[in-house]
């Protein structure tokens, strides 16, 4: 098991949106492990990123082995809306 996450250091690229973040993480995954299967787990916002990684892998002809989303909100607020910029203000917590 390997864990990819934005460590917030100067040597980590800043991502402008979820698609870019997923593209970067998928690239890191494939550099570490060139061939699948790729089993993905995402918690909360990380689930949105994991979903996008799985979508991008599928689009490139690589089927993810497993995708597990834990406490993940829908990446699309409604079916008609596009994915949002990950730098948007934080949504209020719903406890």
């Amino acid at each position: 098991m390997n864990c990819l996450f934005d460590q917030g250091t100067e040597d980590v690229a800043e991502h402008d949106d979820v698609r870019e973040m997923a593209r970067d993480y998928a690239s890191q995954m494939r550099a570490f492990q060139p061939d699948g299967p790729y089993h993905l787990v995402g918690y909360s916002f990380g689930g949105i990123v994991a979903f996008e990684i799985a979508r991008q892998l599928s689009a490139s002809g690589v089927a993810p082995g497993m995708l597990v989303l834990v406490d993940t909100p829908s990446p699309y607020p409604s079916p008609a809306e596009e994915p949002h910029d990950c730098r948007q203000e934080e949504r209020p917590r719903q406890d």
Side-chain angles (χ1 to χ4, degrees):
M1 175 182 240
N2 296 294
C3 181
L4 298 174
F5 57 93
D6 193 347
Q7 299 175 15
T9 61
E10 291 180 14
D11 60 338
V12 175
E14 184 175 317
H15 302 103
D16 290 328
D17 60 34
V18 172
R19 288 183 187 126
E20 182 181 308
M21 183 180 289
R23 189 171 32 254
D24 182 39
Y25 291 167
S27 174
Q28 290 179 45
M29 287 170 36
R30 294 181 100 174
F32 183 80
Q33 178 182 325
D35 300 312
Y38 300 104
H39 303 293
L40 305 167
V41 177
Y43 171 73
S44 195
F45 176 75
I48 296 172
V49 178
F51 179 85
E52 180 61 19
I53 291 170
R55 194 195 65 72
Q56 289 183 17
L57 288 172
S58 293
S60 70
V62 178
M66 182 186 311
L67 174 62
V68 177
L69 305 178
V70 180
D71 195 27
T72 299
S74 171
Y76 307 103
S78 74
E81 294 187 39
E82 288 293 315
H84 58 274
D85 185 329
C86 67
R87 295 177 298 175
Q88 284 183 335
E89 69 277 352
E90 208 173 289
R91 292 182 186 173
R93 290 188 65 174
Q94 296 176 353
D95 294 318

